[in-house]
Amino acid sequence: GQQLNQSPQSMFIQEGEDVSMNCTSSSIFNTWLWYKQEPGEGPVLLIALYKAGELTSNGRLTAQFGITRKDSFLNISASIPSDVGIYFCAGHSNAGNNRKLIWGLGTSLAVNP
Amino acid sequence: DSGVTQTPKHLITATGQRVTLRCSPRSGDLSVYWYQQSLDQGLQFLIQYYNGEERAKGNILERFSAQQFPDLHSELNLSSLELGDSALYFCASSVDGGYTQYFGPGTRLTVL
């Protein structure tokens, strides 16, 4: 099925560093969501975006809905060891009769204390 | 804790068998989604129900079926199991069938 291009695939950083990841689509999206999944757990919703240009924060996390509506970005500031996990983006387009979220393959984040 | 519950947490079975996974959505949520996540893979959407009716279908095999009951809990039935069906199966729920979904802890299925 259709998937989003999420990059980078993995990151290994030092504690305290800032992190940036992004997600791109070939089509326009109306909703972007960012989730985090820790080992053995279900994904947890971090941030939801509903409008082009929207910038939303959740603690040290900030996500943006790209102006072109074909991309979204997630930034984590001053990373800490508990930020470790897989970050997934998901998006939805109103085109056609589409009622499904489209998911990226995830960015795996490792933080070295 | 998202409020979505899934049972069992782990399931080990043999090829050819049939299993049922159960999901209870968050209180007040009308929609339930099922996903499959294989090792090192992203989330593959299987199927969505809204208030008892099927709303959207993804890459769900014919050997798999699901339903949502009047009390809004849902069951995913997997039959004629194959080794490749080993995966994490997640249930998610949303209030109104929208795209902001809350995930349960998952059921890890191992087919031997």
Side-chain angles (χ1 to χ4, degrees), chain A residues 33 35 37 42-43 45 50 92, chain B residues 35 37 90 99-101 103:
Chain A
L33 304 167
Y35 285 84
Q37 185 179 22
L45 181 64
Y50 301 105
H92 175 260
Chain B
Y35 289 86
Q37 186 178 43
F90 288 105
Y99 304 102
T100 306
Q101 300 172 20
F103 282 75

Side-chain angles (χ1 to χ4, degrees), chain B residues 13-47:
Chain B
T13 188
T15 54
Q17 296 297 305
R18 171 190 164 97
V19 297
T20 298
L21 313 183
R22 182 187 168 103
C23 167
S24 292
R26 295 186 319 159
S27 177
D29 283 2
L30 297 178
S31 198
V32 169
Y33 312 75
W34 286 98
Y35 289 86
Q36 180 192 58
Q37 186 178 43
S38 301
L39 191 64
D40 295 331
Q41 294 293 313
L43 288 157
Q44 298 296 318
F45 168 70
L46 297 178
I47 198 163

Side-chain angles (χ1 to χ4, degrees), chain A residues 1-3 31 33 35 37 40-45 48 50 86 88 91-94 98-101 103-106, chain B residues 9 33 35 37 40-45 48 54-59 88 90 97 99-106 108:
Chain A
Q2 183 183 357
Q3 285 177 324
T31 302
L33 304 167
Y35 285 84
Q37 185 179 22
E41 303 293 328
V44 174
L45 181 64
Y50 301 105
I86 302 176
F88 290 100
H92 175 260
S93 165
N94 286 340
N98 178 25
R99 287 180 167 175
K100 296 175 282 189
L101 270 181
W103 290 82
L105 291 179
Chain B
K9 186 140 180 83
Y33 312 75
Y35 289 86
Q37 186 178 43
D40 295 331
Q41 294 293 313
L43 288 157
Q44 298 296 318
F45 168 70
Q48 177 198 359
E54 181 183 308
R55 175 170 268 200
K57 215 165 188 175
N59 301 322
L88 273 167
F90 288 105
Y99 304 102
T100 306
Q101 300 172 20
Y102 297 86
F103 282 75
R108 180 174 293 281

Side-chain angles (χ1 to χ4, degrees), chain B:
Chain B
D1 184 352
S2 67
V4 179
T5 61
Q6 288 186 249
T7 56
K9 186 140 180 83
H10 300 278
L11 196 50
I12 301 175
T13 188
T15 54
Q17 296 297 305
R18 171 190 164 97
V19 297
T20 298
L21 313 183
R22 182 187 168 103
C23 167
S24 292
R26 295 186 319 159
S27 177
D29 283 2
L30 297 178
S31 198
V32 169
Y33 312 75
W34 286 98
Y35 289 86
Q36 180 192 58
Q37 186 178 43
S38 301
L39 191 64
D40 295 331
Q41 294 293 313
L43 288 157
Q44 298 296 318
F45 168 70
L46 297 178
I47 198 163
Q48 177 198 359
Y49 281 83
Y50 178 79
N51 205 19
E53 294 191 3
E54 181 183 308
R55 175 170 268 200
K57 215 165 188 175
N59 301 322
I60 187 166
L61 299 173
E62 284 192 12
R63 299 183 287 110
F64 297 179
S65 65
Q67 55 183 328
Q68 186 179 28
F69 294 87
D71 67 352
L72 301 178
H73 91 271
S74 178
E75 292 181 355
L76 178 67
N77 300 297
L78 315 175
S79 61
S80 302
L81 285 167
E82 303 175 357
L83 295 177
D85 297 327
S86 295
L88 273 167
Y89 290 85
F90 288 105
C91 168
S93 73
S94 70
V95 170
D96 55 2
Y99 304 102
T100 306
Q101 300 172 20
Y102 297 86
F103 282 75
T107 292
R108 180 174 293 281
L109 174 66
T110 303
V111 182
L112 301 175

